[in-house]
Amino acid sequence: MSETASTARAPVALLPSLVPLLHEWLPRRRWFAGKGKPVTGFALVSATELLPLSTAGPGLLHLLVRVQQPGPATSSAPPGDCYQLLLGVCDTLPPRLSPALIGHVTRGPLAGRTVYEALQDPRLAALLLERLRSPGTIGPLSFHRTVTVPDGLTPRVLDAEQSNTSLVYGDAYILKIFRRIHPGANPDLELPLALARAGCARVPAPVAWFEAGTGPDGATLGVLQPYLRGSQDGWRLALDALAGGRDFVPEAHALGRATAEVHTALAKALPTVTLARRQARDLAVTMSRRLDAATQAVPALMPYVPGLRAAFETVAALAESGSTWRVQRVHGDLHLGQALRTPDGEWAVIDFEGEPSKPLAERRRPQPPVRDVAGILRSFDYAAHSHHPWHPEWAERCRDAYCSGYAEASGRDPRDEQALLRAYETDKAVYEVVYEARHRPDWLRVPMAAVRRLASPPGADPAPPLSGRALSGRPGFSPDRRP
């Protein structure tokens, strides 16, 4: 993304005129990643008029803005996170759009006009779809599509997300707008495109997308995919099963098969490599360092550190003795909320963005498939703890069924890589402890129960049931999900 590319009028004066409004509005967005740190400045990356601002009706302004905040600077990238903003500009905001108000501009090229969140305006949201229907470029932005997209689809914004924004068009398509922008291909476009080429039907194939810039400095801005109307996510289905006293074994088995099919297709479509001695040792060291940092943040972990660290040391020891593991592109943030069961009873996997808080290069790195498996296994544990009394045997049956389904479809049982699977489960549980301690203390007992189990020698009795009321809600680790 080249800085200050623009097709907007008076780009030099544009951002300063908006800064007072953005200072107030931007840090309050759910998708703003820099909460808790002051905003010290803004830098314009690009400004594009998708609909001229001089028209009688509303104009549509696309901005990429770099937000400057205190933090370590690196020589490899400009300081601060880059965010994608779509702003409506009008003389008078209709009352129905008052919740979308950002503010009134008092100086600069937009002086006297009102600025608001454009995606809340059906007219401007519809215009964005029109741009996707017509491939081409507008200034630094390029629009692409693989199939013809019908027009006249009514847009609506989904309100369940936190790190991105999604719009549904006519219950036929869903457009994910990435808010925090990184140079490079976003896995949520890259991997579904690869899976579509491989003929994998478990993932909705992208039908259109738009980008800023080209080559390695280009960035994915949004992806349009079929909307799986009437689908239910695995987290809600699991909770419903628990509430109704029903088993979830058939569903878990089928989800294991679906996961394996996705992994198999990714391994065919994209390169695979070997996790050899040095890489496995580095992986174990990185996990150990995360454990040390987590223990500083949550001292309750301290008694379990030797047992938890043993899981990482086992992987390093196996590597030293000559063990290797196959690594490939994987989902990277798989849990029950990222799996949808369609009305015909089939499982689909969505949201391949990975953990948005991690650098894009890390999210695109090949990893062992058991990382995704560990994410689902932890998700079953969370679901079981959401019900009172706790049902550890329910979770264990689901875990076994999921792994069996995976083995049937792939020919490789993840339980055969027990040391690596246990290490990833342990690393995930440690992450969960820190997350819950910071954001949802009432949930802390869930990953702490896993910590007690994982810190015990393999085959030891699991942790006893925890007292307290049942938990409600859903996991918060990657909340971009479709209802």
Side-chain angles (χ1 to χ4, degrees):
M1 294 179 293
S2 60
E3 305 289 311
T4 64
S6 177
T7 61
R9 296 168 300 152
V12 174
L14 177 63
L15 186 60
S17 70
L18 294 172
V19 161
L21 305 182
L22 296 181
H23 257 296
E24 294 294 322
W25 178 78
L26 193 55
R28 298 200 304 266
R29 299 308 96 195
R30 290 185 296 177
W31 38 262
F32 183 71
K35 289 181 173 60
K37 296 186 294 184
V39 174
T40 58
F42 297 88
L44 184 65
V45 177
S46 71
T48 308
E49 292 184 22
L50 292 177
L51 185 64
L53 307 184
S54 57
T55 59
L60 177 56
L61 180 63
H62 181 281
L63 295 181
L64 292 178
V65 175
R66 197 170 298 281
V67 180
Q68 297 158 353
Q69 296 182 276
T74 65
S75 59
S76 61
D81 291 324
C82 180
Y83 290 92
Q84 177 178 198
L85 309 179
L86 289 114
L87 307 181
V89 180
C90 64
D91 293 330
T92 303
L93 190 67
R96 61 183 175 80
L97 291 176
S98 57
L101 175 68
I102 295 175
H104 306 283
V105 184
T106 59
R107 59 190 177 95
L110 300 180
R113 307 199 75 185
T114 298
V115 176
Y116 62 102
E117 169 58 79
L119 299 180
Q120 298 291 335
D121 186 341
R123 295 170 297 177
L124 299 183
L127 174 70
L128 189 56
L129 181 65
E130 284 303 305
R131 296 299 186 198
L132 288 164
R133 294 182 63 247
S134 304
T137 61
I138 304 175
L141 308 183
S142 58
F143 296 82
H144 313 267
R145 65 175 172 83
T146 59
V147 299
T148 300
V149 179
D151 61 0
L153 300 176
T154 302
R156 60 183 173 91
V157 178
L158 297 183
D159 60 2
E161 295 186 298
Q162 292 184 8
S163 60
N164 298 299
T165 302
S166 287
L167 299 94
V168 173
Y169 290 92
D171 281 347
Y173 298 96
I174 182 167
L175 172 63
K176 179 186 282 190
I177 302 291
F178 301 111
R179 290 299 195 166
R180 190 180 179 196
I181 303 301
H182 304 270
N186 193 299
D188 214 8
L189 172 63
E190 179 190 16
L191 298 187
L193 279 177
L195 288 165
R197 291 192 295 267
C200 179
R202 293 292 187 177
V203 177
V207 298
W209 62 93
F210 67 113
E211 303 169 312
T214 58
D217 291 331
T220 308
L221 301 178
V223 181
L224 185 74
Q225 293 173 279
Y227 180 65
L228 303 181
R229 182 180 180 182
S231 298
Q232 292 182 285
D233 67 68
W235 174 254
R236 176 50 53 192
L237 288 170
L239 294 188
D240 289 346
L242 279 159
R246 301 190 304 275
D247 215 337
F248 202 64
V249 165
E251 293 88 343
H253 187 275
L255 180 56
R257 292 188 61 88
T259 307
E261 289 176 20
V262 171
H263 283 168
T264 300
L266 284 173
K268 290 179 179 178
L270 298 169
T272 64
V273 294
T274 298
L275 187 70
R277 178 183 301 174
R278 182 179 61 81
Q279 292 89 352
R281 184 175 63 247
D282 291 346
L283 175 66
V285 169
T286 299
M287 288 178 170
S288 288
R289 288 174 178 168
R290 281 198 288 261
L291 175 60
D292 292 338
T295 304
Q296 294 296 317
V298 187
L301 282 170
M302 189 69 72
Y304 308 103
V305 166
L308 298 174
R309 199 183 307 279
F312 311 143
E313 293 172 344
T314 298
V315 171
L318 286 171
E320 290 296 331
S321 66
S323 295
T324 60
W325 295 272
R326 179 180 58 85
V327 295
Q328 62 168 82
R329 296 298 297 277
V330 298
H331 185 283
D333 189 28
L334 191 59
H335 55 74
L336 286 170
Q338 310 284 36
L340 299 181
R341 196 173 190 201
T342 60
D344 61 2
E346 295 294 330
W347 284 106
V349 180
I350 61 169
D351 292 339
F352 281 76
E353 187 181 1
E355 295 181 23
S357 61
K358 292 190 175 180
L360 188 61
E362 182 177 340
R363 288 185 266 149
R364 296 183 67 200
R365 190 177 300 151
Q367 300 176 73
V370 293
R371 174 177 176 169
D372 282 349
V373 173
I376 290 288
L377 300 188
R378 293 294 309 121
S379 207
F380 284 133
D381 199 29
Y382 260 83
H385 275 87
S386 72
H387 188 272
H388 185 70
W390 179 36
H391 283 294
E393 70 288 346
W394 183 94
E396 196 58 39
R397 289 196 300 271
C398 289
R399 290 159 63 92
D400 285 341
Y402 176 81
C403 289
S404 295
Y406 189 102
E408 286 182 13
S410 70
R412 298 182 303 275
D413 193 323
R415 291 166 294 193
D416 292 341
E417 296 183 327
Q418 186 58 45
L420 196 60
L421 179 59
R422 188 179 184 89
Y424 271 106
E425 270 205 85
T426 301
D427 188 51
K428 182 73 170 176
V430 169
Y431 165 80
E432 292 164 356
V433 165
V434 176
Y435 181 95
E436 303 299 10
R438 288 176 177 171
H439 301 287
R440 303 188 306 185
D442 286 350
W443 283 76
L444 181 57
R445 61 191 183 89
V446 179
M448 285 302 298
V451 161
R452 284 189 288 272
R453 172 174 60 83
L454 292 163
S456 302
D461 290 337
L466 298 174
S467 60
R469 60 181 175 82
L471 299 169
S472 60
R474 59 180 175 84
F477 317 123
S478 181
D480 290 345
R481 298 190 294 110
R482 269 167 244 192

